[in-house]
Each structure stands twice: as structure tokens, then as C-alpha cells.
């Protein structure tokens, strides 16, 4: 990942990510997901003029001229991949991207050569055709569903201007340049630039849930110059020049020429496809991007594909199997060569070889191509015969199993979040089993550990601390904060607890200086934001609720707080706001608004009072605000406020500082001029605006500070404790301040008092190095010291006193991508907790990469916001929280869920199961295919090495498709080694996955040895029993077929832990199916094995062989399994026994061992 | 306070939420809580399994060993002795010489009473009837259906002779075994019943009742027996037996059945025609007379194998019992869990 290399460039200005002070994250998304072009787009595009060749020219209301070069796509969309005609070729093409499929294709082709025709034509392509068919059916079904939804989407009706009138038109017929009219609550059919709206100021509110999942309303504006025009009356003539389609949904650049004037267009002038118009009666706009060129469609890419670790390891073993395969084939061909050589003189007339061929009249060699070629052909033929050594069906079985596992994960009611009404989502289908091997969890804080539902807690106004905590909610004070409008009562939707003293003071404002400051403070809270108040009806017709819609939860919390103290924001348009101040409605003109951006980390609003005075209100992060506050003014108050800020943040609260300034007329004019110039600039508008804002936000007078509580999500401390017990290292990466991060660490039980804290907080490389080295020395000490007293404490952790490392983003800038990385990793791996604060999004990814590069351990990143996207994509498993913030994290994630605490059932139950199941399934599939190959191979040794198969060719092909495929899939989906209850009770059981107990080299080799023994028993028992008898190939072949199939099914049955009816059905069913298939094959008179099974099965020898094979083959496995389980029991084994026998023991009660050391409350 | 604010927030849309909730429906299947039986390898179960296996296997082994011992078998190898002394230097030339007299007399001594039916087999050693070239060299359509007489695909190099298709084609039919045996006891002929030596299913469905040999053994090299062109394939039982290709390079084929008892001390003289060429690839030919038991022919392997497995299981059962009493472990005892076993270490 090359972004990581750029770390030093992300200076400290970036370290403070959006989390610290969220004023809306439009500006705080340094990394939006999607292409890198889009990442840089937001900044770089604004700085350069769109050159003509990079621009798209749209003639308003003139679609013919706009589209005369046919370069813009129409508005019909196609998310489906295939049409009926292209399905076959394209689907096949895509499927053959898999190496395994190509291998089997080559083998099938080889088999078509007459010299190599081992199997019949039809038989040889059967397995490949089966796999291709199953996948194709799956793809076709998915595509059919996409076709259906496309059709619905394309045939929706939009109102489009045709010949001066709005007419209904299907969505798919809408063209670039056409004027579209949208009514309230309608969905926007394509990306349109607003021309006019029902609001006289040209505001339109849109909901972007479909686009980014954010449910709040966003404001979009029509330009004043176009707002006045009515398209029905006069033809609209204009030219829009805008950038080429890109996927950046937060940026748009362009300009519009209307009536000879050039108007600049920005992201606030465009409404994107998929949004819904709300609170606005109608809006008219011109289509600029249609169909596939809309930003919504361009962003419609799937999650990145990751590969599971198990599969990576499995591929190594598959290489091993290929080596076996080559070895078997080499042995066969070398032996064949020796045999041919020693019988060289006999070949001509040997009855079973007959090299001489007289059928054409003259004497020639029949199918003998000389020494070298015969060896080659034998080799290739044996590859064809032994092809199943490489398990083709394993790939498709694994896919099916993962789909099945995903089904159960999605349906798990434990992972349903009632608050957001969201189920668990499996977005990636190929890394289910990685969930069972996680060693590191990287978690975001805000929105992940905490709810991101902000609550106003404390205010420090003019140096006085008013904490709400002493006040109570129960006394019904909220009733007072309501406003009467047109005889109706307006109430804020959220209730906030208030400080009585402050409430009284705020009511009696104007009386003194203190009251004035309080007035300004709350006015700032109510006005200095981008909140849109929405009036919602309630069941009581006289009472209406005000719902504050805003992009940042902090702003909402502040607005509700202001409302609670009597400063209720009632109305906001682009030009003015109306605030109800203690029952008195006041109107303020909004003269200017500087939106939040991540460089300034503050926002400001310029209000014009009715008495023509102009005031600037600013709020922002403490660091950025304290630097622009005039220190000479009110130094004591400043000091007091700083003290309060410190105490707030040590309580884990998020703090903001509020400042204001009275603008003089000259200052205002100066600003106004600059602001107008900047906002109409075409070149580098964003930078210019930022500069204007920075100029005016200066020498402020401090008003006070606010503190907002970010509440912990339910179950977070317990979850973290469980994760830690399971041996998972939890790292928290947050953009918050160190103090806030530490306090959240304590409240979430991440940090405990028994931990030694190591804090690295330095400003240059040298001090970083020093700190790191000191810390390393320190981290080693307790290890030695605690070796002895460990027993006294009875501490279960290996490292005596656990160490917690707290490191900040500034230090990380110097550490990451330098030689210090190694030391940091060493230190961090000794620590049980790592807390990184003030980290930028890319640094988050850098930290994940740091761990990922150096260990083979699996990493999981969990987050909810756009700033976690890079981390989620970097980690082996990315989990998105579908919570308050947008959907980017979910879109980038592999799994998405509603709450952090679901991580526990996800990992401990489903991860554990998935890993155990898939690990076993892979091993079993290797065994199942290797055993039949070995049986075929042993027979080859008795056929003069000519790769004859005793097992009917149909049976050998159906073997991995029908005879043995279903049980392993069903067991892979349904079997469970332990119950949910036990898995949650003993999180330590999760260690089995971390230690790779279900799939490893040792297990592979032990299984292969077992396979070897079993194949010998299967083959040689009939061989000796029938040696020198009249038995024919087909009969003994049927015996081998049946014994192999029954054996592998019994082998599986022996390892199944939970027998429910499905498993019973599928195991015994597949044995019965095999018998039926063998009988059907033997009932076809044109096959040489006609009626063989019926004739042999009538003899006692057949049944004795079968019984003997099954018992003798499974005997060693059974004995070893028992010895291993009884005398060297794994934790899983003991827990299984405990699960089964615990009840009896409790009843018996003769031997009391503390069975439940951990209090257990399994949520249902 | 938080609860009441949340409640206020929740109550507004709780009815709506209930209506279109996505909460997964509870069922034992989706929650993966189907009732299941969880077998565990307890010492008692394992020891019982081993005892059970040995209790079953030892008697079965003894029984099959007895059955095998009861079978009386006379095996006589004749490929070497049936070459006249004068031709012993070039056996292949002798056997390929059509004019040479191939008659050969051998005597068999019955060392034990043989109960009828006595099966007469010929046994070939080192004859790879399972050779890939050989196994495939036949056409099952042609054998079955008189309409398909000219379909000879897969029969090369014995598909056509003199430009006409051969019925039955292919190497298997071409190399049909053609030694014949005439048995007599005390100068009295012993009739060998050659009816019913093949599988009934083959006679009824695999070899056609209206398919007659055509153009057979008319090629340049004679591989073996000729067939009577007037008898349909379904009655050519020697061919049917021969075409059930043997699984292993040492095999027996049923020649016929003697349906009288042979007594201990009887001398059987056999007049055999030593026609079949096994000399070119140093194969052996044997004549076998054998009674049959319930397990087929004389073969001790299965009995020994059963006894071995049964004995081993008994031994394991004993061993596990002893170990169990010496070193028992309480099943499901949590003190064995790794994190309880050695505090302070993993």
C-alpha cells in the first residue's frame, strides 16, 4: 500500500482527524473510499481550472446539441453483467480465471487425444462441466435478480421538459442536457445541477440515505441567477461546463454561463442520483451526468476481495499434492518403461498387447510410438487418471460452505441490532474462517466503542463551570423549553438534562455582564452550525417536535442543548435563521458561513442583528481555537477555561471552545469583499475561502467551552474483557486527544489500574527513539521480576504486570516508515493494550500494516466512519459498524454489524465454528481424493503399469461429485464442535484458531499417513482375498468403489461431533445414493461391467471383504483418536466432555470442581 | 437519564419498527440449535467397541479359515511338461505350428474326497487380461445387437480381416483360450458340464441370441480358439467366460463342472490339447480341480486377516482397560483445561 509511504507528509495538521472535533465531515475526509483519483480530487480539482478537453459541455434544455457527439451515456443503467447471448462466453471466460479450472480443462482436452483417451469423451468433462454448471447457475440467478431490479429502475417515470412543457418520461430515456423537475419525496433520476426550487432562496433539502447512508438532510442550493427563471415560460439558455464524471460524491466543479454571466458551481449545487428530495415542494435542474456516469453508479463497486489465510495455506498443501501426483505418475511411467523394455521382444504377438497390426493389409505397429513417446503418454495418461488428487470439487464445496455459513451468521439473532434494525451482513464471502484466527483487533473509538450519540454535559462560560451532572432530568424541566408558533407548541425532539443554575441565569440574561456572556454563548451554540430544523408531527396535533438534522452528532447535541436552555433554532434558510429565545422569536441574517475543514478545525458564522450590528461566532477544537483567541483579553478567564477543558477531557468528554468577535463596519466590508471574490472564484475556490475564513477568525474573545459526552456502547467493557481473555490483543486507534482516549480506555476496561502505562508523546525523531528504547527496557523488566511472584498474584497473564502503551499520532509520524518501526513493534507486541491517539486515517492503516507485515497473525479492524476505511481495507478482516456515521466503512468492510459487542459472538462462536469446519473440511477433502487416487494407483501396479482402472470410469468421476461431496458440505455448514454457551463461557477456547489447531502441517501429514494405510487396506484386502480366483475387473472394481465410498463416509461420520437429522440424512443418504448409482451403472448392458455388482454381492466373500476393509482401515484412526482425546485432551475436547457430562456431575455432586469460574449470562 | 431519553426517542418509531423489523425469525435451524446427539469416545464405549469387534471377528475368521481348509483343490501346472522334449528349445515355434500334435496326457491324484460339484478351472499366470490395450479392445454393442455387426470401434488391431468386420472383434475375443481337457477315471469318462459356467445375466442380455460369429480368426495371426459360426454368441459360454476380463494377472476361468464326487485315492487322467500360446510371454498354465465352500475357493487370507484384526482388537481392549485403571481421567474435568492447568503460562 503506497499511501503508507507518504506518512511523513501528513504533518501534524492531519493528525487531528475528524473525530476530535466534528463539525460535519464534509471537510474531514482526507481519504474517501474509492479510486485514488477521487481521493485527491477534493483538493486538487478545486485548484485548477477545468481545461476544455477535460470538461463536459452541457447545453441547458438542449439535449440534441449536448448529445450531438454521442459521447455522454444515456440514463438507462445496467448493473447486470450478462445478457442472454453474452452469458455463456463471458461467464465461462470469468470462471476460467481460476488456475484450478484451467488445470482441469487441460486434462479434459488431453483426454480427447486418441492416444491419451483414458476415459470416454463424455465422462472426462463431467467434473469440470459440473463445477462450471453449478457456478454458472449461481451467477445466472444473481444476474437475473439484477436484471429485474434494473428493469424496475429504468422504467420509473420522471418529469422532463419537452417542448416547453414537463412531461412524464421513463428514467432510461432521460438525456444529458434535459431539464428535470422533481417533486417532494421523489427520487432523483440522474445527477442534476439545480436551477430553481420552490424555496424563494433556492434551497433544496435532500436525503442521501441511498448514497452514503446518512439519514440527515443536506442542503443544496440553486444559483440566485437561475432561481428567478421559470422554464415553462421562457426557454432556458445556458451552458454548463463541468468536470468529467468521477466517483467523488463529495465534490463537483463546474461553471454555468447564463445571460452572459459566469456562475461557479460546486458540490452544493448538484443533486446526485438516488437522493430523495425532502421538505421542498419541487426542484428543477438540468441533467449533467446520466446512467453509468452518475456518481452513485460510479461508486457502485463491490468490496475488495481478500483471500483467507486458510486458503493460502491450503494452496501450499495443494502444491504438495501436486508433487505427490507427479511422483505417482513418474513411478507409473518409469515402471511402464521398464516393463516395456523387458518385454520388448514379446510385444508383437503378446495376446494382451499385440503390437502387430495387419488389419490394413500390411504389417505395422498398432499404437506404439516408440520408447520415449510411450513413457510420455503413460505419464500423461496417469495424470488424467489421478487428476482428482488435486481436489477440484474442494473449491466449489468451500464456496458453498461459506455461503451456508454466511446464511447462519446473518440469521443469528444474537447479532441483530434492534436499535438500528440491522442484521449482520456478510459482504465478503471468502474469509469466513479468518474470523476464527484473529490475534489482533484494531478498533476505532468513536462510533465503535462509543455510541456516537453525543450528550451535552458541561459548559464553561466566562470562566465558570456549569456541570449538568448535578441537575436531574426527572423534574420535567423540559416542558419549559418549548415555543408557541401559530398556536402550536414546538418541542425539541431530544431531551437534555439541564443545570438549574445555568437555566436560571440564562433566563435572566441582559441583566449583567455574566448574563450577556451566557446569552452570546447559547446564541453561538444555536447559530454556529449547519443544523436544519425539521418539524415533525406527533400524535397530539397541538404539539410538534423539532428534529435537528445535521451532519455531525456534536452539532446536534449542542443545538438540542441550546434549545433546552431556551435558545431554540426554529428555522434556517440560506439567508437567515430564526431562533426562539425564551419565547421571543428573533431573526438573524446569516451573512457568511465558513464551513468546517480539517486544516482550521473550526467553523464560524457571521450574524447580522436586526440593529445592524454584525457578530462573528466561532467554535472549534481547543488547540485551533486557543491559537486564534486574543490572549491579552481576559487572561484569567482564558486560564480558567483551559483548566476546565483539561478536567473535561480527563473525564472522557469531547470539548469545544466557543469564541466571538464584534465586527466593525470596515472589518465587515473587508471580509465581505474578500468572501464574495473567493466564493465566485473559479480557481482554487476552496483554498481562497479557507484563507478568508482564517483572516477573519482572529483575535477572538473567548466565550467559553462545551463538553459533550460520547457514551460507551452497550456491552463494550465486557466484550473487551472477553477478547482479552481469548488472547486477542485489542488496539484502539482514535483521533481523539490523549486524555480523552485514556479516559475512554478506563471506562471500557481496556486499561486497568494494575497496568503499567508507557506513554510515548514526542515531537521529533530523536526523542521518539529515546522513548522507545526506554520503554523497551521497562517492558522487559517486569517480565524478569514477575517470574517468581507470579504465583502469589495468581495472575493468569504471562507478562506479570501487563503494560499499556499509549502513543500519539505525532510520534507515529516519526516512527512509521523508519527504522524505529521494528522497535515499536517489539514494544507493542509485549504490551497487552495499545492505545493510539490523534492518528490520521492513513496512520491507522499504517499501524495495521506494521503488525500485518511482521507477524503471520491475523488482524481485524473494526470501525464505523470514513476515516476507518483505509484501516478496514488493510486488515485481514475488516468489520464495519453500521451506525451513526455514513456507510463508507460498511461499504469497504468484509462484515458489517450494528454493535461492537457483536464482535464476541462473531469471533467466538461463528469464527470458531467456521474455522474448525473449514479446516477439517480441507483436510478431509485432501484425504477423500488422495485415497481414491492411491487405490487407483495400487491397481496400476498390477496391470503392467498401463493405468487401467478397475473402478468404472463413471464411478471414478462421480466419486467427488455425488458419492462423497454432499456430506462434507453439510458437515462444513452444520457441524459444531462446541455449543454457543460453552464458547462464550470460555473465551480461551478461541485460542484453538490462533494456534491453527484445525489445519496445520502436522495434521496434513498425519492424515496423509492415515490415507496411505486406509488405501492399502482397501486395495490389498480384496486383492489377496480374490488372488487367483475367477473374479473379473468390474466385480472387484465395484467392491473397491463401495468400500472406498463407505469408508470415507464412515471416516467423516467418526469425526462428526453433533449428529442432527440433517447430518444423519446426508451421510447415510450418500451411501445409499452411491449403492444406487453403482447398481444403475451396472444395469447398462453395453458397459463391460454389466450386472457385476449383483453377481458379486451374492457371494459371502464380498461382504466379508467389505466388513473387514471398513474395520481394519478405521482401526488405527479410532485407536489413535481415542488415545489422543483421552490422554492428551485439547481444551476443546475437555469442554465437549464437560458440556455433555456437566449436568450429571452437578446432580451427582460427589466431586465439586468449580465449573463456572466466569459468571455467565448468555444473551439469547 | 439516558434511558428515558432513549425511550422517548424509541417510542416514536417503535410501532413502525416492529412492523418492518429485520430481526431474524427464531428457529432451531437458523440458530443452529437443532437437537443433536453428541457421541464422545469414553473409555467404556471404546473398550466395548474393541471387544465387540474381536467377538465378531474371531469367530468369523475361524469359520472362514475352516471353510477355506475344507475346500479340496488339485492344481497341476502343465505348460512345461506338455512340450515334447524335442521341442523344448523352441516352445513358441512348437505351439505356433498348426500341424504339430498338441495332445498331452497328465494324471491327477485325488488326495482327499471331493464332493460334487467339482469346478474345473484353467489358471493363467502372468497374463495381463487387465492390460489397458486389452481391456478396451472389444465392442459391447456388436456383441449384443445383430444390427450393429459392423461396429468395430475400439477393436483395433482386430477389427477387420480381409476388409470385413470381425464378429466378435477385438483382442479379447481373438485371444480366446483354446486348450481342451478330457477327464477320465478308471478309463471311464468323467463328463464335464460346460453349460451354465457363465453368468446368466451375460447370456441373457449382454451377448445376443441372434449374433453369430463372422469372419472370426480369419486374420494373418491366429490368436486362439475358433468359434462355431452357427452357434449364437449367447451360447458360446467359453467366450462369455473369457470376455469377463480378469482383474488380476493371475486368474482362473471356469472350464466346466464335474458333477460326480471324486474319492480319495482316485486317479484322474486328463487328455489335454495344449493349443494356447503362453510361451511367447512366459505365462504359466495350470489345470485346477476344486470343490467350493461358502466362501468360494481355497484362500486362507481372509480368515487370517479376520483373526489378526480380532486378536488385535482384543489386545487393544485389554491394553486400554489396564491403562484406564492405572491412569484414569475424569471426563470434562475443567482442571485439565490449559489455562487452569498451569497458571502463569499458556
Amino acid at each position: 500500500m503506497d499511501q503508507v509511504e507518504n506518512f511523513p507528509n501528513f504533518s501534524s495538521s492531519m493528525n487531528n482527524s475528524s473525530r476530535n472535533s466534528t463539525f460535519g465531515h464534509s471537510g474531514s475526509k482526507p481519504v474517501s473510499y474509492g479510486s485514488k483519483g477521487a481521493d485527491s480530487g477534493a483538493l486538487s480539482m478545486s485548484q485548477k481550472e477545468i481545461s476544455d478537453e477535460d470538461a463536459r459541455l452541457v447545453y441547458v434544455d438542449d439535449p440534441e446539441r449536448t448529445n450531438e457527439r454521442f459521447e455522454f451515456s444515456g440514463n438507462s443503467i445496467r448493473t447486470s453483467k450478462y445478457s442472454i447471448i453474452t452469458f455463456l462466453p463471458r461467464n465461462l471466460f470469468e470462471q476460467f480465471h481460476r488456475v484450478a479450472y484451467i488445470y482441469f480443462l487441460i486434462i479434459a482436452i488431453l483426454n480427447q487425444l486418441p492416444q491419451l483417451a483414458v476415459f470416454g469423451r463424455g465422462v472426462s468433462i463431467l467434473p469440470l462441466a459440473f463445477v462450471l454448471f453449478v457456478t454458472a447457475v449461481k451467477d445466472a440467478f444473481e444476474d437475473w435478480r439484477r436484471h429485474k431490479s434494473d428493469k424496475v429502475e429504468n422504467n420509473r417515470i420522471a418529469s422532463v421538459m419537452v417542448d416547453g412543457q414537463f412531461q412524464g418520461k421513463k428514467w432510461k430515456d432521460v438525456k444529458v442536457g434535459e431539464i428535470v423537475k422533481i417533486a417532494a419525496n421523489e427520487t432523483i433520476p440522474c445527477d442534476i445541477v439545480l436551477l430553481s426550487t420552490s424555496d424563494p432562496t433556492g434551497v433544496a433539502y435532500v436525503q442521501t440515505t441511498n448514497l452514503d447512508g446518512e439519514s440527515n438532510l443536506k442542503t443544496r442550493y440553486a444559483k440566485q441567477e437561475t432561481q428567478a427563471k421559470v422554464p415553462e415560460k421562457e426557454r432556458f439558455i445556458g451552458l454548463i461546463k463541468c468536470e468529467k464524471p468521477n466517483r467523488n460524491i463529495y465534490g463537483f466543479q463546474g461553471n454555468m454561463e447564463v445571460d452572459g454571466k459566469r456562475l461557479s458551481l460546486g458540490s452544493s449545487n448538484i443533486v446526485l442520483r438516488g437522493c430523495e428530495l425532502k421538505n421542498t415542494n419541487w426542484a428543477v435542474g438540468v441533467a449533467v451526468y446520466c446512467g453509468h456516469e452518475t456518481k452513485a453508479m460510479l461508486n457502485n463497486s463491490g468490496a475488495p476481495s481478500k483471500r483467507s489465510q486458510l486458503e493460502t495455506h491450503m494452496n501450499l498443501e495443494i502444491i504438495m499434492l501436486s508433487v505427490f501426483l507427479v511422483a505417482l505418475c513418474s513411478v507409473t511411467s518409469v515402471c511402464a518403461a521398464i516393463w516395456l523394455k523387458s518385454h520388448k521382444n514379446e510385444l508383437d504377438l503378446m495376446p494382451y498387447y499385440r503390437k502387430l497390426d495387419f488389419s490394413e493389409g500390411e504389417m505395422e505397429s498398432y499404437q506404439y510410438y516408440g520408447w520415449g513417446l510411450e513413457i510420455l503418454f503413460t505419464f500423461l495418461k496417469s495424470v488424467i487418471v489421478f487428476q482428482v488428487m488435486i481436489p477440484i470439487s474442494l473449491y466449489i464445496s468451500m464456496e458453498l460452505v461459506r455461503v451456508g455459513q454466511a446464511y447462519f451468521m446473518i440469521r443469528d439473532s444474537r447479532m441483530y441490532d434492534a436499535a438500528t434494525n440491522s442484521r449482520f451482513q456478510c459482504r465478503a464471502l471468502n474469509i469466513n474462517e479468518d474470523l476464527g484466527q484473529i490475534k489482533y483487533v484494531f478498533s476505532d473509538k468513536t462510533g465503535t466503542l462509543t455510541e456516537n450519540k453525543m450528550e451535552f454535559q458541561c459548559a464553561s462560560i466566562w470562566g465558570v463551570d456549569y456541570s449538568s451532572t448535578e441537575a436531574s432530568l426527572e423534574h420535567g424541566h423540559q416542558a419549559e423549553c418549548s415555543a408557541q408558533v401559530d398556536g402550536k407548541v414546538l418541542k425539541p425532539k431530544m431531551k437534555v438534562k439541564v443545570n438549574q443554575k445555568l437555566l436560571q441565569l440564562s433566563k435572566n440574561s441582559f441583566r449583567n455582564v455574566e448574563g450577556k456572556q451566557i446569552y452570546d454563548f447559547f446564541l453561538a451554540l444555536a447559530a454556529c452550525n449547519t443544523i436544519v430544523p425539521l418539524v415533525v408531527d406527533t400524535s397530539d396535533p397541538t404539539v410538534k417536535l423539532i428534529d435537528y438534522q445535521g451532519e455531525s452528532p456534536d452539532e446536534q447535541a449542542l443545538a438540542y442543548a441550546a434549545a433546552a436552555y431556551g435558545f431554540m433554532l426554529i428555522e434556517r434558510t440560506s439567508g437567515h435563521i430564526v431562533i426562539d429565545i425564551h419565547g421571543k422569536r428573533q431573526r438573524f441574517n446569516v451573512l457568511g458561513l465558513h464551513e468546517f475543514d480539517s486544516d482550521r478545525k473550526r467553523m464560524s458564522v457571521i450574524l447580522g442583528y436586526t440593529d445592524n450590528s454584525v457578530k462573528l461566532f466561532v467554535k472549534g477544537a481547543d488547540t485551533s481555537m486557543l491559537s486564534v483567541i486574543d490572549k491579552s483579553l481576559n487572561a484569567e478567564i482564558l486560564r480558567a477555561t483551559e483548566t476546565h477543558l483539561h478536567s473535561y477531557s480527563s473525564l472522557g468528554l469531547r470539548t469545544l471552545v466557543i469564541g466571538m468577535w464584534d465586527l466593525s463596519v470596515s472589518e465587515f466590508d473587508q471580509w465581505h469583499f474578500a468572501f464574495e471574490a473567493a466564493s465566485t472564484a473559479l480557481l482554487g475556490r476552496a483554498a481562497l475561502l479557507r484563507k478568508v475564513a482564517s483572516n477573519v477568525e482572529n483575535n477572538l474573545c473567548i466565550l467559553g467551552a462545551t463538553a459533550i459526552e460520547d457514551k460507551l456502547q452497550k456491552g463494550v467493557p465486557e466484550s473487551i474483557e472477553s477478547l482479552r481473555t481469548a488472547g486477542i490483543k485489542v488496539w484502539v486507534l482514535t483521533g481523539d486527544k490523549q486524555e480523552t482516549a485514556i479516559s475512554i480506555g478506563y471506562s471500557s476496561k481496556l486499561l486497568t489500574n494494575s497496568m503499567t502505562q508507557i506513554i510515548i508523546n514526542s515531537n521529533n525523531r530523536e526523542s521518539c527513539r529515546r522513548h522507545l528504547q526506554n520503554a523497551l527496557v521497562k517492558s522487559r523488566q517486569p517480565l524478569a521480576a514477575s517470574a517468581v511472584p507470579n504465583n502469589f498474584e495468581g495472575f493468569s497473564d504471562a507478562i506479570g504486570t501487563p503494560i499499556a502503551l499509549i502513543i500519539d499520532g505525532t510520534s507515529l509520524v516519526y516512527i512509521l516508515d523508519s527504522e524505529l518501526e521494528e522497535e515499536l513493534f517489539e514494544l507493542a507486541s509485549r504490551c497487552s493494550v495499545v492505545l493510539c491517539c490523534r492518528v490520521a486515517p492513513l496512520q491507522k492503516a499504517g499501524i495495521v500494516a506494521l503488525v500485518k507485515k511482521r507477524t503471520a497473525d491475523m488482524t481485524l479492524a473494526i470501525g464505523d466512519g470514513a476515516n476507518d476505511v483505509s484501516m478496514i481495507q488493510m486488515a485481514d478482516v475488516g468489520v464495519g459498524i453500521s451506525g451513526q456515521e455514513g456507510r463508507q466503512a460498511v461499504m469497504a468492510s468484509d462484515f458489517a454489524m450494528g454493535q461492537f459487542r457483536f464482535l464476541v459472538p462473531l469471533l467466538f462462536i461463528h469464527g470458531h465454528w467456521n474455522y474448525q469446519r473449514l479446516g477439517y473440511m480441507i483436510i478431509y477433502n485432501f484425504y477423500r481424493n488422495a485415497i481414491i487416487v492411491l487405490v487407483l494407483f495400487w491397481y496400476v501396479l498390477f496391470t503392467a503399469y498401463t493405468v487401467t482402472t478397475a473402478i468404472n470410469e463413471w464411478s471414478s468421476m462421480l466419486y467427488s461429485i455425488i458419492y462423497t461431496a454432499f456430506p462434507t458440505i453439510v458437515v462444513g455448514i452444520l457441524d459444531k464442535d462446541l455449543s454457543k454457551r460453552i464458547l462464550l463461557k470460555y473465551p480461551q477456547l478461541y485460542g484453538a484458531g490462533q494456534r491453527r489447531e484445525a489445519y496445520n502441517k502436522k495434521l496434513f501429514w498425519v492424515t496423509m499417513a492415515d490415507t496411505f494405510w486406509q488405501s492399502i487396506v482397501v486395495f490389498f484386502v480384496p486383492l489377496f482375498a480374490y488372488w487367483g480366483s475367477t473374479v473379473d475387473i468390474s466385480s472387484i472394481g465395484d467392491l473397491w468403489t463401495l468400500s472406498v465410498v463407505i469408508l470415507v463416509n464412515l471416516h467423516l461420520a467418526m469425526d462428526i461431533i453433533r449428529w442432527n437429522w440433517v447430518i444423519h440424512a446426508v451421510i447415510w443418504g450418500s451411501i445409499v445414493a452411491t449403492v444406487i448409482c453403482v447398481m444403475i451403472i451396472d444395469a447398462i448392458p453395453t458397459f463391460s461391467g454389466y450386472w457385476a455388482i449383483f453377481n458379486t454381492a451374492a457371494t459371502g466373500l464380498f461382504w466379508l471383504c467389505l466388513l473387514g476393509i471398513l474395520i481394519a482401515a478405521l482401526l488405527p484412526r479410532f485407536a489413535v483418536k481415542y488415545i489422543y482425546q483421552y490422554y492428551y485432551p485439547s481444551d476443546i475436547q475437555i469442554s465437549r466432555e464437560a458440556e455433555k457430562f456437566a449436568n450429571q456431575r452437578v446432580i451427582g455432586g460427589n466431586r465439586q470442581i468449580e465449573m463456572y469460574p466466569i459468571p455467565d449470562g448468555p444473551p439469547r | 437519564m439516558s434511558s428515558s431519553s432513549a425511550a422517548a426517542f424509541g417510542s416514536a418509531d417503535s410501532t413502525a419498527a416492529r412492523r418492518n423489523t429485520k430481526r431474524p425469525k427464531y428457529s432451531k435451524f437458523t440458530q443452529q440449535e437443532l437437537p443433536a446427539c453428541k457421541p464422545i469416545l469414553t473409555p467404556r464405549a471404546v473398550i466395548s467397541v474393541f471387544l465387540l469387534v474381536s467377538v465378531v471377528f474371531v469367530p468369523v475368521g475361524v469359520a472362514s479359515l475352516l471353510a477355506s481348509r475344507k475346500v479340496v483343490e488339485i492344481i497341476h501346472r502343465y505348460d512345461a511338461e506338455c512340450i515334447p522334449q524335442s521341442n523344448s528349445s523352441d516352445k513358441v515355434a512348437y505351439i505356433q505350428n498348426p500341424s504339430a500334435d498338441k495332445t498331452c496326457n497328465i494324471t491327477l491324484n485325488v488326495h482327499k474326497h471331493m464332493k460334487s460339484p467339482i469346478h474345473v478351472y484353467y489358471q493363467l499366470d502372468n497374463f495381463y487380461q487387465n492390460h489397458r490395450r486389452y481391456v478396451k479392445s472389444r465392442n459391447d454393442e456388436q456383441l449384443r445387437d445383430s444390427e450393429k455387426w459392423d461396429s468395430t470401434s475400439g477393436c483395433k488391431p482386430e477389427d477387420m480381416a480381409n476388409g470385413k468386420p470381425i464378429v466378435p472383434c477385438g483382442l479379447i475375443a481373438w485371444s480366446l483360450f483354446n486348450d481342451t481337457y478330457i477327464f477320465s477315471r478308471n478309463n471311464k469318462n468323467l463328463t464335464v458340464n460346460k453349460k451354465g459356467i457363465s453368468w446368466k445375466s451375460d447370456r441373457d442380455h449382454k451377448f445376443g441370441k441372434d449374433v453369430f460369429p463372422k469372419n472370426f480368426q480369419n486374420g494373418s495371426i491366429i490368436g486362439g480358439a475358433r468359434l462355431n459360426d452357427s452357434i449364437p454368441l449367447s451360447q458360446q459360454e467359453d467366450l462369455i467366460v473369457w470376455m469377463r476380463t480378469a482383474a488380476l494377472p493371475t486368474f482362473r476361468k471356469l472350464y466346466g463342472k464335474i458333477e460326480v464326487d471324486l474319492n480319495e485315492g482316485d486317479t484322474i487322467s486328463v487328455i489335454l490339447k495344449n493349443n494356447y500360446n503362453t510361451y511367447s510371454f512366459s505365462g504359466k498354465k495350470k489345470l485346477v480341480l476344486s470343490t467350493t465352500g461358502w466362501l468360494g475357493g481355497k484362500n486362507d487370507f481372509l480368515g487370517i486377516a479376520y483373526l489378526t484384526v480380532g486378536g488385535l482388537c482384543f489386545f487393544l481392549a485389554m491394553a486400554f482397560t489396564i491403562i484406564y485403571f492405572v491412569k484414569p481421567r475424569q471426563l470434562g474435568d475443567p482442571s485439565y483445561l490449559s489455562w487452569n492447568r498451569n497458571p502463569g503460562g499458556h
Side-chain angles (χ1 to χ4, degrees), chain A residues 423 939 947 976 1104 1131, chain B residues 22 32 132-133 247 306 338:
Chain A
R423 288 186 185 185
Y939 188 60
V947 289
K976 22 180 220 177
L1104 279 191
D1131 294 337
Chain B
K22 286 191 200 148
Q32 306 193 52
R132 163 154 231 100
R133 289 168 75 107
Y306 264 75
S338 63

Side-chain angles (χ1 to χ4, degrees), chain A residues 975-1010:
Chain A
D975 196 22
K976 22 180 220 177
D977 54 350
L978 289 168
S979 71
K980 293 180 182 181
R981 207 174 53 87
I982 292 271
L983 284 172
L984 288 181
K985 192 166 85 183
Y986 298 120
Q988 291 95 330
L989 291 170
Y990 187 73
Q994 294 167 340
R995 294 189 293 272
R996 307 204 182 108
E997 280 177 8
Y999 182 83
N1000 51 44
K1001 279 249 151 55
K1002 188 182 147 212
L1003 215 52
F1004 173 77
W1005 287 108
V1006 168
T1007 311
M1008 283 300 130
D1010 188 29

Side-chain angles (χ1 to χ4, degrees), chain B residues 3 12 15 43 80 104 110 167 195 212 234 246 272 298 304 345:
Chain B
S3 61
T15 44
C104 170
V110 180
V167 182
K195 284 272 175 243
F212 294 92
S234 62
L272 65 76
K298 194 175 186 66
I304 292 167

Side-chain angles (χ1 to χ4, degrees), chain A residues 704-735:
Chain A
T706 60
I708 297 166
E709 189 192 1
D710 191 359
K711 285 188 64 190
L712 273 187
Q713 280 191 6
K714 208 172 134 198
V716 164
E718 294 83 354
S719 305
I720 287 185
E721 201 171 294
S722 291
L723 291 177
R724 294 248 308 276
T725 319
I728 297 174
K729 297 192 171 178
V730 181
W731 295 30
V732 172
L733 316 177
T734 171

